[in-house]
Amino acid sequence: MILHEFISYDILRVIWWGLLGILLIGFALTDGFDMGVGALLPFVAKTDVERRVVINTVGPVWEGNQVWFILGGGAIFAAWPPLYAVSFSGFYLAMFVILAALIVRPVAFKYRSKRDGARWRATWDWALFAGGAVPALLFGVAVGNVLQGVPFELTPDLFARYEGAFYAKFAGLLNPFALLAGVVSFAMLLTHGAAWLSFKADSIVAQRARAIGSVSGLVTIGGYVLAGLWLAIGIEGYAFTSEVAANGPSNPLYSEVVRTDSWLSAYAARPWIALAPVLGLVGMVMTVLGLRAGREGATLLWSKLGIFGAISSVGLMMFPFILPSSIDPRSSLTVWDSSSSHQTLFVMLVATVIFMPLILAYTAWVYKVLWGKVTEADVTDSHSAY
């Protein structure tokens, strides 16, 4: 027997669907508070020293946190090539804006303190704001569009075809439901950043973060509930019309897909997945209560739980669909028909089993070494601080 046949193709596909979700959630849990802190920077810190305190709460860890984003992109490229090709071509301009914002952020970290001028530093502070706020918003917009279906179709040779110019496609992404999803994403990561600052910053900075995070947390809860109601009554879902070969070839055109009444019908078919939105709401509510009460470590953990539940609720509700098509449902990409080969998924899984624990162990060690609050004395007395 060939080695990779010890794990069946359909199980490997589900494993890699789960691993992709873990990588994306890991990115939101770690780099998410980096983006939230950047978006909060101009509002929670009034003096240069206070802003340095804010920056140094994430300065030592933001580069490591971005590893999750790189791993997620690599996993999409290697495990789900059609998803990589179709999504990046359709979201090209949006991806470009996100990458530009993510590139500006490290430049701002490095250049902000190269000169003492107030205008110079203020410019880079707003660059840090953009580097956090823009991706946080656009990632949510992307999720909102995926839930509605993306306007692409596959040709017989599996070439993805979109209608309209690239700027028209970008403008089409900014529809009402997608913008609501973007607001939820932005508010959620803003709250996560506030929970981090409450945990890592000292004195007045933490107090301001808790005040803003309490408000953004309520916006997150309200927006998340509203998005769920909108999905229930205003947005169609997708379903197969016939049995699908879970270990069949990676060709979406072999499947028959139609629009259905609602994505929320998945909860009737798999009631256990209702745990995800419950965890999301409970985590968000407890985060707001924790911020108002001044609790620190527990609030950060609740925030992570809320993000985990919110993101998981989308993936579990859509399963097995990954990228549905709004103009040709038959072209929709699913777990069963858009993966790499059986052998490729197995080899990648072996590498993941070896290297993922090393990454997790190193990350845990870094956070342990950097444990504790950042104070004004820390940034004024140290020449190595940002």
Side-chain angles (χ1 to χ4, degrees):
M1 177 182 288
I2 301 175
L3 188 60
H4 67 266
E5 292 181 354
F6 279 108
I7 304 179
S8 65
Y9 198 9
D10 55 336
I11 292 177
L12 275 173
R13 282 170 159 165
V14 173
I15 289 173
W16 271 103
W17 171 81
L19 285 174
L20 178 58
I22 290 172
L23 292 173
L24 295 178
I25 292 172
F27 170 65
L29 295 181
T30 55
D31 208 37
F33 66 70
D34 293 342
M35 291 186 284
V37 167
L40 286 168
L41 176 62
F43 310 105
V44 298
K46 304 303 181 183
T47 67
D48 184 64
V49 173
E50 289 176 356
R51 291 181 179 182
R52 291 184 65 199
V53 167
V54 172
I55 291 170
N56 279 277
T57 62
V58 297
V61 297
W62 70 266
E63 289 176 291
N65 292 341
Q66 285 201 155
V67 168
W68 295 97
F69 181 65
I70 297 169
L71 289 175
I76 294 174
F77 175 78
W80 310 98
L83 173 63
Y84 183 90
V86 175
S87 62
F88 274 65
S89 59
F91 298 139
Y92 181 82
L93 187 54
M95 291 290 186
F96 180 84
V97 173
I98 289 173
L99 289 176
L102 293 177
I103 290 170
V104 165
R105 184 171 61 169
V107 176
F109 276 124
K110 301 298 183 182
Y111 276 77
R112 182 190 183 277
S113 296
K114 296 298 183 183
R115 289 172 56 181
D116 291 330
R119 184 175 180 181
W120 170 270
R121 293 190 172 189
T123 299
W124 290 115
D125 289 341
W126 283 106
L128 285 171
F129 167 81
V134 171
L137 177 68
L138 290 184
F139 282 134
V141 168
V143 172
N145 279 279
V146 169
L147 285 168
Q148 296 175 93
V150 180
F152 74 92
E153 60 181 343
L154 296 177
T155 64
D157 57 358
L158 299 184
F159 178 79
R161 183 166 55 202
Y162 287 83
E163 295 181 356
F166 71 94
Y167 52 84
K169 288 185 286 187
F170 179 72
L173 298 177
L174 305 178
N175 56 77
F177 179 78
L179 289 174
L180 173 62
V183 169
V184 172
S185 173
F186 175 70
M188 182 170 65
L189 295 187
L190 203 68
T191 307
H192 195 39
W196 176 257
L197 286 176
S198 176
F199 179 68
K200 288 289 290 184
D202 200 12
S203 64
I204 189 65
V205 170
Q207 293 175 26
R208 294 180 186 136
R210 285 193 286 267
I212 296 174
S214 298
V215 176
S216 62
L218 292 176
V219 173
T220 305
I221 295 168
Y224 185 67
V225 172
L226 178 59
L229 294 174
W230 199 330
L231 281 172
I233 62 176
I235 294 178
E236 293 180 326
Y238 290 77
F240 291 109
T241 60
S242 59
E243 189 72 22
V244 178
N247 59 351
S250 290
N251 188 334
L253 298 180
Y254 287 173
S255 303
E256 292 296 330
V257 177
V258 295
R259 303 299 296 262
T260 59
D261 292 338
S262 171
W263 281 116
L264 272 64
S265 59
Y267 291 103
R270 304 187 299 275
W272 62 270
I273 68 174
L275 180 63
V278 170
L279 289 178
L281 284 172
V282 169
M284 295 173 198
V285 170
M286 294 302 295
T287 301
V288 172
L289 295 177
L291 287 170
R292 290 186 171 181
R295 292 189 289 270
E296 299 175 355
T299 300
L300 183 61
L301 293 177
W302 281 118
S303 178
K304 291 180 181 292
L305 180 66
I307 293 173
F308 173 82
I311 297 177
S312 297
S313 67
V314 176
L316 291 171
M317 179 180 63
M318 290 183 59
F319 183 86
F321 290 91
I322 303 177
L323 190 68
S325 168
S326 60
I327 60 176
D328 180 21
R330 197 167 67 98
S331 296
S332 300
L333 306 182
T334 75
V335 172
W336 311 129
D337 55 28
S338 57
S339 72
S340 291
S341 68
H342 191 170
Q343 185 173 4
T344 299
L345 295 182
F346 179 80
V347 172
M348 289 173 56
L349 181 61
V350 172
T352 301
V353 170
I354 295 172
F355 291 106
M356 182 64 77
L358 297 177
I359 294 173
L360 292 172
Y362 173 74
T363 301
W365 177 78
V366 169
Y367 278 91
K368 180 181 178 181
V369 170
L370 299 172
W371 198 260
K373 286 186 176 292
V374 178
T375 65
E376 293 187 4
D378 292 331
V379 299
T380 54
D381 296 342
S382 174
H383 296 291
S384 61
Y386 285 98

